[in-house]
Amino acid sequence: QVQLVESGGGLVQAGGSLRLSCAASGRTFSNYVIGWFRQAPGKEREFVAAVSRSGAETSYADSVKGRSTISRDNAKNTVYLQMNSLSPEDTAVYTCAAREARYSSDLYYSGSSYNYWGQGTWVTVSS
């Protein structure tokens, strides 16, 4: 079992930045790929970013690429999602998810690939 807790959400003005955190407890954190997903009101959940076990590999959705950075600190069992140049279209609940991976370069993009989920943190961007 892996328990995930997100933090760092809140209300921010358009053009601003936020850093979301995903803190994990339970099994060996460095064995897990961590992904961030978001779901806006009335919309489907969508992939945002993912980071490999070591942090060497990352992937981003086109909607956040170039203005977001996902990183991890395995010593602190934490993954971060830095988001810049936020717009109202980024308003959503952001949730991190974990899946144990066999290979260090593995990444997963589909929510169905992940086994463990946090409760989510709201990000609201005002115009």
Side-chain angles (χ1 to χ4, degrees):
Q1 282 283 57
V2 175
Q3 292 79 42
L4 304 171
V5 178
E6 302 92 341
S7 62
L11 175 65
V12 63
Q13 287 189 332
S17 299
L18 279 177
R19 188 177 80 157
L20 306 182
S21 298
C22 173
S25 60
R27 296 192 175 180
T28 306
F29 181 67
S30 59
N31 288 346
Y32 290 81
V33 170
I34 304 296
W36 280 98
F37 292 79
R38 68 184 183 185
Q39 187 167 17
K43 294 188 176 181
E44 299 278 320
R45 182 177 62 196
E46 64 175 352
F47 170 79
V48 176
V51 62
S52 63
R53 289 166 41 184
S54 68
E57 305 288 334
T58 59
S59 182
Y60 300 90
D62 287 343
S63 57
V64 303
K65 192 177 297 182
R67 59 186 183 94
S68 298
T69 303
I70 188 170
S71 60
R72 68 190 298 160
D73 185 340
N74 285 342
K76 295 183 178 180
N77 286 8
T78 302
V79 166
Y80 305 99
L81 180 66
Q82 176 71 39
M83 301 185 67
N84 303 319
S85 302
L86 288 163
S87 72
E89 289 69 37
D90 294 311
T91 295
V93 59
Y94 286 72
T95 308
C96 63
R99 171 183 167 158
E100 193 165 17
R102 175 177 294 184
Y103 300 109
S104 61
S105 60
D106 284 350
L107 288 171
Y108 307 103
Y109 311 97
S110 170
S112 61
S113 298
Y114 290 84
N115 308 111
Y116 305 101
W117 293 81
Q119 294 299 307
T121 185
W122 266 102
V123 172
T124 303
V125 184
S126 63
S127 58

